[in-house]
Coordinates of all heavy atoms in Angstrom, one line a residue:
M702 N 110.9 64.2 137.7 CA 109.4 64.2 137.4 C 109.1 63.1 136.3 O 109.9 63.0 135.3 CB 109.1 65.7 136.8 CG 107.6 65.7 136.4 SD 107.2 67.4 136.1 CE 107.1 67.4 134.3
A703 N 108.2 62.4 136.6 CA 107.9 61.2 135.7 C 107.1 61.7 134.6 O 106.2 62.6 134.6 CB 107.1 60.2 136.5
S704 N 107.3 61.1 133.4 CA 106.6 61.4 132.2 C 105.3 60.6 132.2 O 105.5 59.3 132.4 CB 107.4 61.3 130.9 OG 108.4 62.2 130.9
L705 N 104.2 61.1 132.0 CA 103.0 60.3 131.9 C 102.4 60.4 130.5 O 102.5 61.3 129.8 CB 101.9 60.9 132.8 CG 102.4 61.0 134.4 CD1 101.4 61.7 135.2 CD2 102.6 59.5 134.9
V706 N 101.9 59.2 130.1 CA 101.4 58.9 128.7 C 99.8 58.7 128.8 O 99.5 57.7 129.6 CB 102.0 57.8 128.1 CG1 101.5 57.6 126.6 CG2 103.6 58.1 128.0
P707 N 99.0 59.4 128.1 CA 97.6 59.2 128.1 C 97.2 58.0 127.2 O 97.1 58.2 126.0 CB 97.0 60.5 127.7 CG 97.9 61.0 126.7 CD 99.3 60.6 127.4
C708 N 97.1 56.7 127.6 CA 96.7 55.6 126.8 C 95.1 55.7 126.7 O 94.4 55.8 127.7 CB 97.1 54.3 127.6 SG 96.5 52.9 126.6
P709 N 94.6 55.5 125.5 CA 93.2 55.6 125.3 C 92.4 54.4 125.9 O 91.3 54.5 126.1 CB 93.0 55.6 123.8 CG 94.3 55.4 123.2 CD 95.4 55.5 124.2
H710 N 93.2 53.4 126.3 CA 92.6 52.2 126.8 C 92.8 52.0 128.3 O 91.9 51.5 129.0 CB 93.1 50.9 126.1 CG 92.8 51.0 124.7 ND1 91.6 50.8 124.1 CD2 93.8 51.2 123.7 CE1 91.8 50.9 122.8 NE2 93.0 51.1 122.5
C711 N 93.9 52.5 128.8 CA 94.3 52.3 130.2 C 94.4 53.5 131.0 O 94.5 53.5 132.3 CB 95.7 51.6 130.3 SG 95.9 50.2 129.3
G712 N 94.2 54.7 130.4 CA 94.2 56.0 131.1 C 95.7 56.5 131.2 O 96.5 56.2 130.4
I713 N 95.9 57.4 132.1 CA 97.3 58.0 132.3 C 98.2 57.0 132.8 O 98.0 56.5 134.0 CB 97.2 59.3 133.2 CG1 96.2 60.2 132.7 CG2 98.5 59.9 133.3 CD1 96.6 60.9 131.4
R714 N 99.3 56.7 132.2 CA 100.3 55.6 132.7 C 101.7 56.2 132.6 O 102.0 57.1 131.7 CB 100.2 54.4 131.8 CG 98.9 53.9 131.6 CD 98.2 53.4 132.9 NE 99.0 52.4 133.6 CZ 98.8 52.1 134.8 NH1 97.9 52.6 135.6 NH2 99.7 51.3 135.4
P715 N 102.6 55.7 133.4 CA 104.0 56.1 133.4 C 104.7 55.6 132.0 O 104.3 54.6 131.5 CB 104.7 55.5 134.5 CG 103.7 54.3 135.0 CD 102.4 54.7 134.6
K716 N 105.6 56.4 131.6 CA 106.3 56.1 130.3 C 107.0 54.8 130.2 O 107.3 54.2 129.2 CB 107.1 57.3 129.8 CG 108.4 57.5 130.5 CD 109.3 58.5 129.9 CE 110.6 58.8 130.7 NZ 111.3 57.7 131.3
E717 N 107.5 54.4 131.5 CA 108.2 53.2 131.6 C 107.4 51.9 131.2 O 108.1 50.9 130.9 CB 108.8 53.0 133.0 CG 109.8 54.0 133.4 CD 109.3 55.3 133.7 OE1 108.1 55.6 133.9 OE2 110.1 56.3 133.8
E718 N 106.1 52.0 131.0 CA 105.3 50.9 130.6 C 105.3 50.8 129.0 O 104.8 49.7 128.5 CB 103.9 51.1 131.1 CG 103.7 51.0 132.6 CD 102.2 51.0 132.9 OE1 101.4 51.1 132.1 OE2 102.1 50.9 134.2
F719 N 105.9 51.7 128.3 CA 105.8 51.7 126.9 C 107.2 51.5 126.2 O 108.3 51.7 126.8 CB 105.4 53.2 126.5 CG 104.0 53.5 126.9 CD1 103.7 53.9 128.1 CD2 102.9 53.3 126.0 CE1 102.4 54.2 128.5 CE2 101.6 53.7 126.4 CZ 101.3 54.1 127.7
T720 N 107.1 50.9 125.0 CA 108.3 50.8 124.2 C 108.1 51.7 122.9 O 107.1 51.7 122.3 CB 108.4 49.3 123.6 OG1 108.5 48.5 124.9 CG2 109.7 49.1 122.8
I721 N 109.1 52.5 122.7 CA 109.0 53.6 121.6 C 109.6 52.9 120.4 O 110.8 52.5 120.4 CB 109.8 54.8 122.0 CG1 109.2 55.4 123.3 CG2 109.6 55.8 120.9 CD1 110.0 56.6 123.9
K722 N 108.9 52.9 119.3 CA 109.4 52.3 118.0 C 110.0 53.4 117.0 O 110.8 53.1 116.3 CB 108.3 51.6 117.4 CG 108.7 50.8 116.1 CD 109.6 49.7 116.4 CE 109.9 48.9 115.2 NZ 111.0 47.9 115.5
G723 N 109.5 54.6 117.1 CA 110.1 55.6 116.2 C 109.0 56.4 115.5 O 107.8 56.4 115.9
A724 N 109.4 57.2 114.6 CA 108.5 58.1 113.9 C 107.4 57.5 113.3 O 107.5 56.4 112.6 CB 109.3 59.0 112.9
A725 N 106.2 58.1 113.4 CA 105.0 57.6 112.7 C 104.9 58.3 111.4 O 104.1 59.2 111.2 CB 103.8 57.9 113.6
L726 N 105.6 57.8 110.4 CA 105.6 58.3 109.0 C 104.7 57.6 108.1 O 104.4 56.4 108.4 CB 107.0 58.2 108.5 CG 108.1 58.8 109.3 CD1 109.5 58.5 108.6 CD2 107.9 60.3 109.3
P727 N 104.1 58.3 107.1 CA 103.2 57.5 106.2 C 104.0 56.6 105.4 O 105.1 56.8 104.9 CB 102.6 58.7 105.3 CG 103.5 59.8 105.6 CD 104.2 59.6 106.9
R728 N 103.4 55.3 105.3 CA 104.2 54.2 104.6 C 104.0 54.5 103.1 O 102.9 54.7 102.6 CB 103.6 52.9 105.1 CG 104.3 51.7 104.6 CD 103.6 50.5 105.1 NE 104.2 49.2 104.8 CZ 105.1 48.6 105.5 NH1 105.5 49.1 106.7 NH2 105.7 47.5 105.1
P729 N 105.1 54.3 102.3 CA 105.0 54.4 100.9 C 104.2 53.2 100.2 O 104.1 52.2 100.9 CB 106.4 54.4 100.3 CG 107.3 54.4 101.5 CD 106.5 54.1 102.7
A730 N 103.6 53.5 99.0 CA 103.1 52.4 98.3 C 104.0 51.3 98.1 O 105.2 51.5 98.0 CB 102.3 52.9 97.1
P731 N 103.6 50.0 98.0 CA 104.4 48.9 97.7 C 105.4 49.1 96.4 O 106.5 48.7 96.4 CB 103.6 47.7 97.5 CG 102.4 48.0 98.3 CD 102.2 49.6 98.2
D732 N 104.8 49.8 95.4 CA 105.5 50.0 94.2 C 106.1 51.5 94.1 O 106.3 52.0 93.0 CB 104.6 49.7 93.0 CG 103.4 50.7 93.0 OD1 103.1 51.3 94.0 OD2 102.6 50.7 92.0
A733 N 106.3 52.1 95.2 CA 106.7 53.5 95.2 C 108.1 53.7 94.7 O 108.6 54.8 94.4 CB 106.6 54.0 96.6
G734 N 108.9 52.7 94.7 CA 110.3 52.7 94.2 C 111.3 52.7 95.3 O 111.0 52.9 96.5
E735 N 112.6 52.4 94.9 CA 113.6 52.2 95.8 C 114.0 53.4 96.6 O 114.2 53.3 97.8 CB 114.9 51.7 95.1 CG 116.0 51.4 96.0 CD 117.2 50.8 95.1 OE1 116.9 50.0 94.2 OE2 118.3 51.2 95.4
Q736 N 114.0 54.6 96.0 CA 114.3 55.9 96.8 C 113.3 56.2 97.9 O 113.6 56.6 99.0 CB 114.5 57.1 95.8 CG 115.0 58.2 96.5 CD 116.5 58.0 97.2 OE1 117.4 57.4 96.4 NE2 116.7 58.3 98.4
A737 N 112.0 56.0 97.6 CA 110.9 56.3 98.5 C 111.1 55.3 99.7 O 110.9 55.7 100.8 CB 109.5 56.1 97.9
W738 N 111.3 54.0 99.5 CA 111.5 53.1 100.5 C 112.8 53.3 101.3 O 112.9 53.2 102.5 CB 111.5 51.7 100.0 CG 110.0 51.2 99.8 CD1 109.4 51.2 98.7 CD2 109.2 50.8 100.8 NE1 108.1 50.8 98.9 CE2 107.9 50.6 100.2 CE3 109.3 50.7 102.2 CZ2 106.8 50.2 101.0 CZ3 108.2 50.2 102.9 CH2 106.9 50.0 102.3
M739 N 113.9 53.7 100.6 CA 115.2 54.1 101.3 C 114.9 55.2 102.3 O 115.4 55.2 103.5 CB 116.2 54.5 100.3 CG 117.6 54.7 100.9 SD 118.3 53.2 101.3 CE 119.8 53.3 100.3
D740 N 114.1 56.2 101.9 CA 113.9 57.4 102.7 C 113.0 56.9 103.9 O 113.3 57.4 105.0 CB 113.1 58.5 102.0 CG 114.1 59.1 100.9 OD1 115.3 58.9 100.9 OD2 113.5 59.9 100.1
Y741 N 112.1 56.1 103.7 CA 111.1 55.7 104.7 C 111.8 54.9 105.7 O 111.6 55.1 106.9 CB 110.0 54.9 104.1 CG 109.0 54.2 105.1 CD1 108.1 55.0 105.8 CD2 109.0 52.9 105.3 CE1 107.2 54.5 106.7 CE2 108.2 52.3 106.3 CZ 107.3 53.1 107.0 OH 106.4 52.5 107.8
V742 N 112.7 54.0 105.4 CA 113.3 53.1 106.3 C 114.5 53.8 107.0 O 114.7 53.5 108.2 CB 113.8 51.8 105.5 CG1 114.7 50.9 106.4 CG2 112.7 51.0 105.0
Y743 N 115.3 54.6 106.3 CA 116.6 55.0 106.8 C 116.7 56.5 107.1 O 117.5 56.9 108.0 CB 117.8 54.7 105.9 CG 118.0 53.1 105.7 CD1 117.6 52.5 104.6 CD2 118.4 52.4 106.9 CE1 117.8 51.1 104.5 CE2 118.6 51.0 106.7 CZ 118.2 50.4 105.5 OH 118.4 49.1 105.4
L744 N 116.0 57.3 106.5 CA 116.1 58.8 106.7 C 115.1 59.4 107.6 O 113.9 59.1 107.5 CB 116.1 59.5 105.4 CG 117.2 59.0 104.4 CD1 117.1 59.9 103.1 CD2 118.6 59.2 105.0
R745 N 115.5 60.2 108.5 CA 114.6 60.9 109.5 C 115.0 62.4 109.6 O 116.1 62.7 109.6 CB 114.7 60.3 110.9 CG 114.4 58.8 111.0 CD 112.8 58.7 110.8 NE 112.3 57.3 110.8 CZ 112.1 56.6 109.8 NH1 112.4 57.0 108.6 NH2 111.7 55.4 109.9
D746 N 113.9 63.2 109.6 CA 114.1 64.5 110.0 C 114.4 64.6 111.5 O 114.1 63.7 112.3 CB 112.9 65.3 109.6 CG 112.7 65.4 108.1 OD1 113.7 65.4 107.4 OD2 111.6 65.6 107.8
N747 N 114.9 65.7 112.0 CA 115.0 65.9 113.5 C 114.3 67.3 113.8 O 115.0 68.3 114.2 CB 116.5 66.0 113.8 CG 116.8 65.9 115.3 OD1 115.9 65.6 116.0 ND2 118.0 66.3 115.7
P748 N 113.0 67.3 113.8 CA 112.3 68.5 113.9 C 112.2 68.9 115.4 O 112.4 68.1 116.3 CB 110.8 68.1 113.5 CG 110.8 66.7 113.8 CD 112.1 66.1 113.6
R749 N 112.0 70.2 115.6 CA 111.9 70.8 116.9 C 110.4 71.1 117.1 O 109.8 71.7 116.2 CB 112.7 72.1 117.1 CG 112.6 72.7 118.4 CD 113.4 73.9 118.6 NE 113.3 74.6 119.9 CZ 114.0 74.3 120.9 NH1 114.9 73.4 120.8 NH2 113.8 74.8 122.1
G750 N 109.7 70.5 118.1 CA 108.4 70.8 118.3 C 107.6 69.5 118.2 O 108.1 68.4 118.6
Q751 N 106.3 69.5 117.9 CA 105.5 68.3 118.0 C 105.8 67.3 116.9 O 106.1 67.6 115.8 CB 104.0 68.7 117.8 CG 103.5 69.5 119.0 CD 102.0 69.5 119.2 OE1 101.3 69.2 118.2 NE2 101.5 69.9 120.3
Y752 N 105.8 66.0 117.4 CA 106.2 65.0 116.4 C 105.4 63.7 116.8 O 105.2 63.5 118.0 CB 107.8 64.7 116.7 CG 108.4 63.9 115.6 CD1 108.5 64.4 114.3 CD2 109.1 62.8 115.9 CE1 109.1 63.7 113.3 CE2 109.9 62.1 114.9 CZ 109.8 62.6 113.7 OH 110.5 61.9 112.6
E753 N 105.0 63.0 115.8 CA 104.2 61.8 116.1 C 105.2 60.5 116.0 O 106.0 60.4 115.1 CB 103.1 61.6 115.1 CG 102.0 62.6 115.4 CD 100.7 62.4 114.5 OE1 100.8 61.7 113.5 OE2 99.7 62.8 114.9
E754 N 104.9 59.6 117.0 CA 105.8 58.5 117.1 C 104.9 57.3 117.4 O 103.9 57.4 118.1 CB 106.8 58.5 118.2 CG 107.8 59.7 118.1 CD 108.6 60.0 119.3 OE1 108.0 60.1 120.4 OE2 109.8 60.2 119.1
F755 N 105.4 56.1 117.0 CA 104.7 54.9 117.4 C 105.2 54.4 118.8 O 106.4 54.3 119.0 CB 105.0 53.7 116.3 CG 104.3 53.9 115.1 CD1 105.0 54.0 113.9 CD2 103.0 53.9 115.0 CE1 104.5 54.2 112.6 CE2 102.3 54.1 113.8 CZ 103.0 54.2 112.6
W756 N 104.3 54.1 119.7 CA 104.6 53.7 121.0 C 103.8 52.4 121.3 O 102.6 52.4 120.9 CB 104.2 54.7 122.1 CG 105.2 55.9 122.2 CD1 105.6 56.6 121.1 CD2 105.7 56.5 123.4 NE1 106.4 57.7 121.6 CE2 106.4 57.7 123.0 CE3 105.5 56.3 124.7 CZ2 107.0 58.5 123.9 CZ3 106.1 57.1 125.6 CH2 106.9 58.2 125.2
H757 N 104.4 51.4 121.9 CA 103.6 50.1 122.2 C 103.5 50.1 123.7 O 104.4 50.2 124.4 CB 104.5 48.9 121.7 CG 103.9 47.7 122.0 ND1 104.2 46.7 122.8 CD2 102.7 47.1 121.3 CE1 103.4 45.6 122.8 NE2 102.5 45.9 121.9
H758 N 102.2 49.8 124.1 CA 102.0 49.8 125.5 C 102.3 48.4 126.1 O 101.4 47.6 126.3 CB 100.5 50.3 125.9 CG 100.3 50.6 127.3 ND1 99.2 51.0 127.8 CD2 101.3 50.5 128.3 CE1 99.3 51.3 129.1 NE2 100.6 50.9 129.5
T759 N 103.6 48.1 126.2 CA 104.1 46.8 126.4 C 103.6 46.2 127.8 O 103.3 45.0 127.9 CB 105.6 46.8 126.4 OG1 106.0 47.5 125.2 CG2 106.3 45.4 126.4
S760 N 103.6 47.1 128.8 CA 103.2 46.5 130.1 C 101.8 46.9 130.5 O 101.4 47.0 131.7 CB 104.1 47.2 131.2 OG 105.4 46.7 131.0
G761 N 101.0 47.2 129.4 CA 99.6 47.6 129.7 C 98.7 46.8 128.7 O 98.7 45.5 128.7
C762 N 98.0 47.5 127.8 CA 97.0 46.9 127.0 C 97.6 46.2 125.7 O 97.0 45.5 125.0 CB 96.0 47.9 126.5 SG 96.7 49.3 125.7
R763 N 98.9 46.4 125.6 CA 99.7 45.8 124.5 C 99.2 46.3 123.1 O 99.2 45.5 122.1 CB 99.7 44.3 124.5 CG 100.3 43.8 125.9 CD 100.6 42.4 125.9 NE 101.5 41.9 124.9 CZ 102.9 42.0 125.1 NH1 103.4 42.6 126.2 NH2 103.7 41.5 124.1
R764 N 98.7 47.4 123.0 CA 98.2 48.1 121.8 C 99.2 49.0 121.3 O 100.0 49.6 122.1 CB 96.9 48.9 122.0 CG 95.7 48.1 122.6 CD 95.1 47.3 121.6 NE 94.6 48.0 120.5 CZ 93.9 47.4 119.4 NH1 93.7 46.1 119.4 NH2 93.5 48.2 118.5
W765 N 99.3 49.2 120.0 CA 100.2 50.2 119.3 C 99.4 51.5 119.3 O 98.2 51.6 118.9 CB 100.6 49.8 117.9 CG 101.6 48.8 117.9 CD1 101.5 47.4 117.7 CD2 103.0 49.1 118.0 NE1 102.7 46.8 117.8 CE2 103.7 47.8 118.0 CE3 103.8 50.2 118.3 CZ2 105.1 47.7 118.1 CZ3 105.1 50.1 118.4 CH2 105.7 48.8 118.3
L766 N 100.1 52.6 119.7 CA 99.6 54.0 119.7 C 100.5 54.9 118.9 O 101.6 54.7 118.7 CB 99.6 54.5 121.2 CG 99.0 53.6 122.3 CD1 99.2 54.3 123.7 CD2 97.5 53.4 122.0
V767 N 99.8 56.0 118.5 CA 100.6 57.1 117.9 C 100.5 58.2 119.0 O 99.5 58.6 119.3 CB 99.9 57.6 116.6 CG1 100.6 58.9 116.1 CG2 100.0 56.6 115.5
V768 N 101.7 58.5 119.5 CA 101.8 59.5 120.6 C 102.4 60.8 120.0 O 103.4 60.7 119.3 CB 102.7 58.9 121.7 CG1 103.1 60.0 122.7 CG2 102.1 57.8 122.3
T769 N 101.7 61.9 120.3 CA 102.2 63.2 119.9 C 103.0 63.8 121.0 O 102.6 64.0 122.1 CB 101.0 64.2 119.6 OG1 100.2 63.5 118.6 CG2 101.5 65.5 119.1
R770 N 104.4 64.0 120.7 CA 105.3 64.4 121.8 C 106.1 65.6 121.2 O 106.4 65.8 120.1 CB 106.3 63.3 122.0 CG 107.4 63.6 123.1 CD 108.3 62.4 123.3 NE 109.2 62.1 122.1 CZ 110.3 62.6 121.8 NH1 110.8 63.5 122.6 NH2 111.0 62.3 120.7
D771 N 106.4 66.6 122.1 CA 107.2 67.8 121.7 C 108.7 67.3 121.9 O 109.1 67.0 123.0 CB 106.8 68.9 122.6 CG 107.4 70.2 122.1 OD1 108.7 70.3 122.0 OD2 106.7 71.2 121.9
T772 N 109.5 67.4 120.8 CA 110.8 67.0 120.9 C 111.7 68.0 121.7 O 112.8 67.6 122.1 CB 111.4 66.9 119.5 OG1 111.3 68.1 118.9 CG2 110.7 65.8 118.7
A773 N 111.3 69.2 122.0 CA 112.1 70.2 122.7 C 111.8 70.0 124.2 O 112.7 70.0 125.0 CB 111.7 71.5 122.3
T774 N 110.6 69.8 124.6 CA 110.2 69.7 126.0 C 109.9 68.3 126.5 O 109.8 68.1 127.7 CB 108.9 70.6 126.2 OG1 107.9 70.0 125.6 CG2 109.2 72.0 125.9
H775 N 109.7 67.3 125.6 CA 109.4 66.0 125.8 C 107.9 65.9 126.5 O 107.6 64.8 126.9 CB 110.3 65.3 126.8 CG 111.8 65.2 126.2 ND1 112.1 64.5 125.0 CD2 112.9 65.9 126.5 CE1 113.3 64.7 124.8 NE2 113.8 65.5 125.6
E776 N 107.2 66.9 126.4 CA 105.8 66.8 126.9 C 105.0 66.1 125.9 O 105.2 66.2 124.7 CB 105.2 68.2 127.0 CG 105.7 69.0 128.2 CD 105.0 70.4 128.5 OE1 103.8 70.3 128.2 OE2 105.7 71.3 128.9
I777 N 104.1 65.2 126.4 CA 103.3 64.4 125.6 C 101.8 65.0 125.6 O 101.3 65.2 126.6 CB 103.2 62.9 126.1 CG1 104.6 62.3 125.9 CG2 102.1 62.2 125.4 CD1 104.8 61.0 126.5
E778 N 101.4 65.4 124.4 CA 100.0 66.0 124.3 C 98.9 65.1 124.2 O 97.8 65.3 124.8 CB 100.1 67.0 123.1 CG 98.8 67.8 123.0 CD 98.9 68.8 121.9 OE1 99.9 69.6 121.8 OE2 98.0 68.8 121.0
A779 N 99.0 64.1 123.3 CA 97.9 63.2 123.1 C 98.3 61.8 122.5 O 99.6 61.7 122.2 CB 97.0 63.8 122.0
S780 N 97.5 60.9 122.5 CA 97.8 59.6 121.8 C 96.5 59.0 121.3 O 95.4 59.4 121.7 CB 98.4 58.6 122.8 OG 97.4 58.3 123.8
R781 N 96.7 58.1 120.3 CA 95.5 57.4 119.7 C 95.9 56.0 119.3 O 97.0 55.8 119.1 CB 95.0 58.2 118.5 CG 95.8 58.3 117.3 CD 95.3 59.1 116.2 NE 96.1 59.0 115.0 CZ 97.1 59.7 114.7 NH1 97.5 60.7 115.6 NH2 97.8 59.6 113.7
D782 N 95.0 55.2 119.2 CA 95.3 53.8 118.9 C 95.4 53.7 117.4 O 94.7 54.3 116.6 CB 94.0 52.9 119.3 CG 94.3 51.5 119.1 OD1 94.5 51.0 117.9 OD2 94.3 50.7 120.1
V783 N 96.5 53.1 117.0 CA 96.9 53.0 115.6 C 95.8 52.4 114.8 O 95.4 52.8 113.7 CB 98.2 52.2 115.4 CG1 98.5 52.0 113.8 CG2 99.4 53.0 115.9
A784 N 95.2 51.2 115.2 CA 94.3 50.5 114.5 C 92.9 51.1 114.5 O 92.1 51.0 113.5 CB 94.2 49.0 115.0
L785 N 92.5 51.7 115.6 CA 91.2 52.3 115.7 C 91.1 53.7 115.3 O 90.0 54.3 115.3 CB 90.8 52.2 117.2 CG 90.8 50.7 117.6 CD1 90.4 50.6 119.1 CD2 89.9 49.8 116.8
G786 N 92.2 54.4 115.1 CA 92.2 55.8 114.5 C 91.9 56.9 115.5 O 92.0 56.7 116.8
G787 N 91.4 58.0 115.1 CA 91.2 59.2 115.9 C 90.1 59.1 116.9 O 90.0 59.9 117.8
N788 N 89.3 58.1 116.7 CA 88.1 57.9 117.7 C 88.6 57.6 119.1 O 87.8 57.6 120.1 CB 87.1 56.8 117.2 CG 86.5 57.2 115.9 OD1 86.4 58.4 115.5 ND2 86.0 56.2 115.2
T789 N 89.8 57.2 119.2 CA 90.3 56.7 120.5 C 91.3 57.7 121.1 O 92.0 57.3 122.1 CB 91.1 55.4 120.4 OG1 92.1 55.6 119.5 CG2 90.1 54.3 119.8
E790 N 91.3 58.9 120.6 CA 92.3 59.9 121.1 C 92.2 60.1 122.6 O 91.1 60.4 123.1 CB 92.3 61.2 120.4 CG 93.3 62.2 120.7 CD 93.4 63.4 119.8 OE1 93.9 63.2 118.8 OE2 92.9 64.4 120.3
A791 N 93.4 60.2 123.3 CA 93.4 60.5 124.7 C 94.4 61.7 124.9 O 95.3 61.8 124.1 CB 93.9 59.3 125.5
R792 N 94.1 62.6 125.7 CA 95.0 63.8 126.0 C 95.5 63.8 127.4 O 94.7 63.4 128.3 CB 94.2 65.1 125.7 CG 93.9 65.1 124.2 CD 93.4 66.4 123.7 NE 93.5 66.5 122.3 CZ 94.5 67.0 121.6 NH1 95.5 67.5 122.2 NH2 94.5 67.1 120.3
T793 N 96.5 64.5 127.7 CA 97.0 64.7 129.0 C 96.3 65.8 129.8 O 95.7 66.6 129.1 CB 98.6 65.0 129.0 OG1 98.8 66.2 128.2 CG2 99.3 63.9 128.6
Ligands
ZN387 ZN1 97.2 50.9 127.3

């Protein structure tokens, strides 16, 4: 069964068109300190359930998206454009 991703610009697309970059974590302030940046760059939780990740629609609109994916079932619930925010949310 193919996984489908709802792109806010292109509609429902196969996951093979996307490049996954990783967890969509809040970026620390530039002066947050070495430990905050170490955690941001190198440390990841491994949660079970819904998780937000950065996905690039490489073979489509070439926009960066935040995709909400369930780590246990791999079902994708929604996505939104990183630059345009929640106004662009698309759901499966
Ligand atoms: Zn797209």
Side-chain angles (χ1 to χ4, degrees):
M702 182 169 102
S704 293
L705 299 174
V706 180
C708 175
H710 305 288
C711 306
I713 305 291
R714 307 300 304 166
K716 71 172 175 45
E717 289 78 13
E718 292 186 0
F719 294 81
T720 303
I721 304 170
K722 185 63 176 174
L726 303 174
R728 189 180 179 93
D732 60 350
E735 186 175 317
Q736 190 59 50
W738 279 99
M739 184 75 121
D740 291 351
Y741 175 74
V742 173
Y743 295 109
L744 299 180
R745 294 290 177 268
D746 293 331
N747 190 16
R749 181 179 179 88
Q751 292 202 343
Y752 200 57
E753 289 191 334
E754 298 168 315
F755 288 120
W756 289 42
H757 185 250
H758 198 177
T759 310
S760 298
C762 59
R763 303 189 62 80
R764 302 284 301 182
W765 280 100
L766 308 176
V767 173
V768 172
T769 304
R770 180 179 67 88
D771 190 303
T772 59
T774 64
H775 300 294
E776 286 186 36
I777 295 171
E778 181 177 309
S780 70
R781 66 180 188 276
D782 189 294
V783 170
L785 302 176
N788 297 341
T789 61
E790 186 171 283
R792 295 189 164 269
T793 54

